[in-house]
Short mmCIF file of all heavy atoms in Angstrom, two decimals:
data_model
loop_
_atom_site.label_atom_id
_atom_site.label_comp_id
_atom_site.label_asym_id
_atom_site.label_seq_id
_atom_site.Cartn_x
_atom_site.Cartn_y
_atom_site.Cartn_z
N LEU A 565 -0.94 -10.25 -14.04
CA LEU A 565 -1.36 -11.15 -13.05
C LEU A 565 -0.65 -12.48 -13.23
O LEU A 565 0.14 -12.92 -12.23
CB LEU A 565 -2.89 -11.39 -12.95
CG LEU A 565 -3.65 -10.47 -12.08
CD1 LEU A 565 -5.14 -10.76 -12.04
CD2 LEU A 565 -3.16 -10.44 -10.52
N VAL A 566 -0.74 -13.16 -14.33
CA VAL A 566 -0.12 -14.45 -14.59
C VAL A 566 1.39 -14.21 -14.48
O VAL A 566 2.11 -15.19 -13.96
CB VAL A 566 -0.57 -14.99 -15.90
CG1 VAL A 566 0.18 -16.24 -16.38
CG2 VAL A 566 -2.04 -15.15 -15.99
N GLY A 567 1.85 -13.27 -15.19
CA GLY A 567 3.40 -13.11 -15.06
C GLY A 567 3.91 -12.92 -13.73
O GLY A 567 4.88 -13.61 -13.21
N SER A 568 3.28 -12.13 -12.92
CA SER A 568 3.70 -11.77 -11.51
C SER A 568 3.63 -13.04 -10.66
O SER A 568 4.55 -13.32 -10.01
CB SER A 568 2.85 -10.69 -10.83
OG SER A 568 3.05 -9.49 -11.66
N ILE A 569 2.62 -13.81 -10.77
CA ILE A 569 2.32 -14.88 -9.95
C ILE A 569 3.38 -16.03 -10.46
O ILE A 569 4.04 -16.68 -9.55
CB ILE A 569 0.94 -15.52 -10.15
CG1 ILE A 569 -0.05 -14.52 -9.46
CG2 ILE A 569 0.83 -16.83 -9.47
CD1 ILE A 569 -1.49 -14.88 -9.63
N GLY A 570 3.49 -16.29 -11.70
CA GLY A 570 4.52 -17.22 -12.29
C GLY A 570 5.83 -16.84 -11.83
O GLY A 570 6.62 -17.74 -11.28
N TRP A 571 6.27 -15.58 -11.93
CA TRP A 571 7.57 -15.17 -11.43
C TRP A 571 7.75 -15.43 -10.00
O TRP A 571 8.86 -15.84 -9.65
CB TRP A 571 7.74 -13.75 -11.82
CG TRP A 571 8.93 -13.10 -11.24
CD1 TRP A 571 8.97 -12.15 -10.19
CD2 TRP A 571 10.32 -13.23 -11.62
NE1 TRP A 571 10.23 -11.76 -10.00
CE2 TRP A 571 11.06 -12.31 -10.78
CE3 TRP A 571 11.00 -14.02 -12.55
CZ2 TRP A 571 12.50 -12.38 -10.90
CZ3 TRP A 571 12.39 -13.96 -12.79
CH2 TRP A 571 13.03 -13.08 -11.87
N ASN A 572 6.80 -15.13 -9.23
CA ASN A 572 6.90 -15.33 -7.71
C ASN A 572 7.00 -16.87 -7.44
O ASN A 572 7.72 -17.35 -6.41
CB ASN A 572 5.77 -14.68 -7.02
CG ASN A 572 5.91 -14.56 -5.60
OD1 ASN A 572 5.38 -15.21 -4.67
ND2 ASN A 572 6.84 -13.72 -5.09
N LEU A 573 6.29 -17.74 -8.05
CA LEU A 573 6.42 -19.21 -7.94
C LEU A 573 7.81 -19.58 -8.18
O LEU A 573 8.40 -20.37 -7.43
CB LEU A 573 5.54 -19.88 -8.83
CG LEU A 573 3.92 -19.91 -8.36
CD1 LEU A 573 3.17 -20.53 -9.50
CD2 LEU A 573 3.90 -20.82 -7.08
N VAL A 574 8.45 -19.19 -9.33
CA VAL A 574 9.75 -19.53 -9.72
C VAL A 574 10.79 -19.11 -8.63
O VAL A 574 11.64 -19.93 -8.24
CB VAL A 574 10.15 -19.06 -11.11
CG1 VAL A 574 11.60 -19.23 -11.46
CG2 VAL A 574 9.27 -19.71 -12.09
N VAL A 575 10.78 -17.81 -8.29
CA VAL A 575 11.86 -17.33 -7.47
C VAL A 575 11.75 -17.88 -6.11
O VAL A 575 12.84 -18.07 -5.31
CB VAL A 575 11.84 -15.74 -7.43
CG1 VAL A 575 12.15 -15.21 -8.87
CG2 VAL A 575 10.50 -15.24 -6.88
N ASN A 576 10.61 -18.38 -5.68
CA ASN A 576 10.32 -18.81 -4.17
C ASN A 576 10.73 -20.28 -4.13
O ASN A 576 10.63 -20.84 -3.13
CB ASN A 576 8.93 -18.59 -3.63
CG ASN A 576 8.86 -17.24 -3.08
OD1 ASN A 576 9.14 -17.10 -1.90
ND2 ASN A 576 8.51 -16.21 -3.85
N ARG A 577 11.26 -20.91 -5.21
CA ARG A 577 11.78 -22.23 -5.09
C ARG A 577 13.02 -22.28 -4.28
O ARG A 577 13.35 -23.40 -3.83
CB ARG A 577 12.02 -22.81 -6.48
CG ARG A 577 10.67 -23.09 -7.26
CD ARG A 577 10.97 -23.71 -8.55
NE ARG A 577 9.73 -23.96 -9.44
CZ ARG A 577 9.70 -24.47 -10.64
NH1 ARG A 577 10.90 -24.56 -11.25
NH2 ARG A 577 8.55 -24.74 -11.20
N ARG A 578 13.68 -21.33 -4.03
CA ARG A 578 14.88 -21.18 -3.22
C ARG A 578 14.63 -20.22 -2.20
O ARG A 578 13.95 -19.09 -2.38
CB ARG A 578 16.16 -20.68 -4.01
CG ARG A 578 16.46 -21.65 -5.20
CD ARG A 578 16.97 -22.91 -4.63
NE ARG A 578 17.51 -23.88 -5.71
CZ ARG A 578 16.82 -24.74 -6.24
NH1 ARG A 578 15.58 -24.95 -5.93
NH2 ARG A 578 17.28 -25.57 -7.21
N ALA A 579 15.20 -20.41 -1.02
CA ALA A 579 14.93 -19.40 0.20
C ALA A 579 15.36 -18.10 -0.13
O ALA A 579 14.81 -17.04 0.08
CB ALA A 579 15.55 -20.06 1.37
N TRP A 580 16.59 -18.06 -0.87
CA TRP A 580 17.13 -16.71 -1.29
C TRP A 580 16.32 -15.99 -2.20
O TRP A 580 16.42 -14.72 -2.34
CB TRP A 580 18.56 -16.90 -1.68
CG TRP A 580 18.77 -17.75 -2.73
CD1 TRP A 580 19.16 -19.13 -2.73
CD2 TRP A 580 18.65 -17.51 -4.20
NE1 TRP A 580 19.17 -19.67 -4.01
CE2 TRP A 580 18.89 -18.70 -4.91
CE3 TRP A 580 18.26 -16.34 -4.91
CZ2 TRP A 580 18.82 -18.74 -6.33
CZ3 TRP A 580 18.22 -16.42 -6.29
CH2 TRP A 580 18.50 -17.60 -6.99
#
Side-chain angles (χ1 to χ4, degrees):
L565 272 178
V566 174
S568 298
I569 292 172
W571 170 249
N572 198 246
L573 280 170
V574 170
V575 298
N576 273 272
R577 290 180 177 176
R578 299 288 184 271
W580 55 264

